[in-house]
Amino acid sequence: MTLVLQPGSVPLSTLETLYWTGEPARLDPSFDAGIEKAAARIAEIAGGNAPVYGINTGFGKLASIRIDAADVATLQRNLILSHCCGVGEPLADTIVRLIMALKLVSLGRGASGVRLELVRLIEAMLERGVIPVIPEKGSVGASGDLAPLAHMAAVMMGEGEAFFDGARLDGRTALERAGLAPVVLAAKEGLALINGTQVSTALALAGLFRAHRAAQSALITGALSTDAAMGSSAPFHPDIHTLRGHQGQIDAAAALRSLLKGSVIRESHIEGDERVQDPYCIRCQPQVDGACLDLLRSVARTLEIEANAVTDNPLVLSDNSVVSGGNFHAEPVAFAADQIALAVCEIGAIAQRRIALLVDPALSYGLPAFLAKTPGLNSGLMIAEVTSAALMSENKQMSHPASVDSTPTSANQEDHVSMACHGARRLLQMTDNLFSIIGIEALTAAQGIDFRAPLVSSPELSNVIAAIRTVVPTLETDRYMATDLKAARDIVADGRLNAAVSDGLLPVLEV
């Protein structure tokens, strides 16, 4: 199915579908006229004598150099080739497809001055699966994501490299095999393609969607841990959270109550349990995970706006003037990425403390050391907990804000930069770590609940345990654990853990 995009009003749900499914996308045809009008204005300026930045001048520190009309096409080609300076591994196909869709949305606003030919080529590349090879590093998130977007634009010119039909090919061959022809860039078109925040925004959106999936999973595994530890559900009482008023906290508590509803384990120790309070990692789940949820929801709004924005330069304005500005500066995306990193870090930190609680017989209310059936002879989940601690610590180190680390570039013309691109890219590694932490919690909590037999957990959590046991059996004696940890991580990352509970039970990203 091809998703039809309405530039300026593409909802977050569509962006999420683009990321998870890799569906092709195209612009609503009603936006064609605005695109053509702006392109005509740029062509008019290119044929005239007045200097206008990026159309008939050099770029950045070279903006004062006038370019002859006969050299305008060469200027755009040189721009792209000179800016293909990315290094590192290629970005994943899902990220690149989202980048291309976001570029469509930006161009579709009719302020960039590109011809429809370019828009149609991007649409066709998405439809036929021509995916530019975009190295992961090289942008400082300032005058657009220049280097990575240049690698995308190069393929459109028949240069660079692209993946097609499972092969890594030169750009021209990839286009030819897909039945497509490269374009010759006209005035401003190269600049329109590489100015913009689409790489930073796509990476931040990927981090957001992955973080939200993990946040939902953490509520499930947190409920499992609460039951495994015979913790109290009283701190999840709705009135407590209504009195504070934060929507994320209210929603997290409601999810925990629903997940634990009907637990025989819980009912078994309501009377006679001498413990007065549980540790914070159990008792304060709504406050911590709810605050993270609120943060992700706030970020979602910022990134939805950015995804619909025009972020190249100069722009064709509503009065047909062409004005140079600074929409390419990715500061909003940089801040958004830093906030996602904080949420990812905290979700993992409190989950790791629940893992530590369950493997510690001094805290776990009757569970054996390290959840081993014969402790001593078997180490059980001892080192799985250590791995979760290592991942938590790594996320803490990566959560330092990237947005405060500006460095001047381009001979001090671009003297304050956002660092949004690598600030967002780190979210992929951080969420990978978080998926593993939550996967380890799923294993420890399910193992703990096994020890509570013949008492059983709630219907919802019993379904979750069944999903876990389809990929990782109960730990009877020590065995090779890396495979178990990967399987547990995978059911968190691909959404199978969340799918094990009833629809509508987990808090959504948009409210």
Side-chain angles (χ1 to χ4, degrees):
M1 179 184 72
T2 299
L3 296 171
V4 179
L5 306 176
Q6 301 270 346
S9 58
V10 179
L12 195 69
S13 58
T14 296
L15 299 170
E16 187 165 12
T17 298
L18 285 167
Y19 174 65
W20 289 121
T21 69
E23 298 280 1
R26 63 176 177 84
L27 295 185
D28 187 304
S30 65
F31 289 85
D32 288 359
I35 296 171
E36 291 180 311
K37 179 182 176 183
R41 177 62 177 136
I42 295 298
E44 179 185 7
I45 293 172
N49 295 318
V52 178
Y53 172 74
I55 299 174
N56 50 19
T57 72
F59 308 105
K61 196 71 172 180
L62 305 176
S64 60
I65 299 175
R66 176 68 190 275
I67 306 299
D68 291 338
D71 293 327
V72 165
T74 302
L75 173 71
Q76 297 301 310
R77 178 178 176 80
N78 288 347
L79 173 70
I80 299 304
L81 297 178
S82 68
H83 283 55
C84 286
C85 292
V87 299
E89 294 299 311
L91 293 174
D93 284 7
T94 52
I95 300 289
V96 177
R97 294 183 70 90
L98 185 54
I99 291 167
M100 296 167 72
L102 292 177
K103 182 54 78 175
L104 280 178
V105 173
S106 182
L107 299 179
R109 296 287 298 274
S112 299
V114 303
R115 295 164 296 158
L116 273 176
E117 182 180 353
L118 268 69
V119 171
R120 296 288 101 90
L121 180 56
I122 296 173
E123 292 173 341
M125 289 168 66
L126 284 170
E127 180 184 9
R128 302 183 195 187
V130 179
I131 307 300
V133 174
I134 299 181
E136 62 184 348
K137 300 177 184 179
S139 172
V140 294
S143 190
D145 293 314
L146 296 172
L149 286 172
H151 284 272
M152 180 197 77
V155 175
M156 298 172 65
M157 295 164 41
E159 303 286 349
E161 292 183 294
F163 294 107
F164 178 71
D165 200 20
R168 183 169 177 168
L169 307 167
D170 67 84
R172 185 172 297 273
T173 300
L175 290 175
E176 287 175 353
R177 291 191 183 180
L180 302 173
V183 295
V184 175
L185 299 179
K188 192 190 175 287
E189 289 183 335
L191 192 60
L193 288 172
I194 69 172
N195 257 176
T197 66
Q198 285 77 36
V199 177
S200 296
T201 303
L203 287 165
L205 284 167
L208 172 68
F209 300 142
R210 290 159 63 94
H212 179 246
R213 176 171 285 181
Q216 291 179 316
S217 297
L219 290 170
I220 295 172
T221 56
L224 280 172
S225 292
T226 300
D227 235 12
M230 287 190 158
S232 174
S233 60
F236 309 148
H237 191 289
D239 287 2
I240 294 174
H241 309 288
T242 300
L243 284 168
R244 197 174 198 186
H246 294 296
Q247 192 60 50
Q249 179 177 327
I250 292 167
D251 293 347
L256 289 165
R257 289 194 306 274
S258 296
L259 288 163
L260 287 161
K261 185 177 181 180
S263 168
V264 177
I265 297 174
R266 174 68 194 119
E267 294 300 319
S268 73
H269 65 98
I270 289 179
E271 301 293 336
D273 192 333
E274 296 180 355
R275 293 173 295 172
V276 177
Q277 289 182 329
D278 293 313
Y280 285 4
C281 66
I282 299 292
R283 183 168 26 126
C284 297
Q285 289 180 76
Q287 288 79 6
V288 175
D289 289 337
C292 293
L293 180 61
D294 277 338
L295 196 57
L296 294 178
R297 286 170 170 171
S298 174
V299 164
R301 180 58 184 150
T302 296
L303 293 180
E304 184 180 54
I305 292 170
E306 188 71 10
N308 283 282
V310 182
T311 54
D312 66 284
N313 180 64
L315 299 177
V316 182
L317 304 184
S318 58
D319 62 0
N320 226 25
S321 62
V322 178
V323 180
S324 183
N327 276 1
F328 46 66
H329 199 294
E331 195 81 351
V333 184
F335 283 157
D338 285 345
Q339 291 174 78
I340 297 169
L342 292 176
V344 168
C345 189
E346 282 297 274
I347 293 166
I350 194 170
Q352 200 284 326
R353 296 319 303 155
R354 294 192 295 267
I355 296 167
L357 180 152
L358 290 177
V359 301
D360 185 348
L363 299 173
S364 62
Y365 199 63
L367 295 177
F370 305 109
L371 299 170
K373 291 199 172 181
T374 52
L377 178 63
N378 292 282
S379 295
L381 291 162
M382 176 191 293
I383 305 304
E385 185 269 328
V386 173
T387 297
S388 73
L391 297 172
M392 174 189 68
S393 182
E394 189 173 288
N395 274 1
K396 286 180 179 179
Q397 293 162 17
M398 285 194 288
S399 69
H400 178 81
S403 58
V404 300
D405 185 28
S406 175
T407 186
T409 60
S410 192
N412 279 304
Q413 179 74 6
E414 296 155 11
D415 58 354
H416 182 277
V417 301
S418 73
M419 299 301 184
C421 199
H422 74 259
R425 178 168 45 81
R426 83 197 196 272
L427 299 174
L428 302 179
Q429 181 60 56
M430 291 185 71
T431 49
D432 266 342
N433 289 345
L434 182 54
F435 290 148
S436 288
I437 293 170
I438 296 169
I440 293 169
E441 183 179 16
L443 296 184
T444 57
Q447 184 81 359
I449 287 174
D450 285 346
F451 281 110
R452 302 302 185 188
L455 301 176
V456 295
S457 190
S458 68
E460 292 287 355
L461 294 180
S462 294
N463 289 336
V464 172
I465 293 169
I468 295 168
R469 293 297 176 229
T470 61
V471 296
V472 180
T474 299
L475 187 64
E476 301 290 346
T477 59
D478 283 350
R479 62 177 182 247
Y480 185 80
M481 290 296 296
T483 305
D484 290 354
L485 267 59
K486 182 181 185 305
R489 177 260 176 214
D490 287 349
I491 65 169
V492 176
D494 64 22
R496 279 177 287 162
L497 190 77
N498 293 353
V501 304
S502 298
D503 289 343
L505 190 151
L506 300 172
V508 296
L509 194 54
E510 294 180 276
V511 291

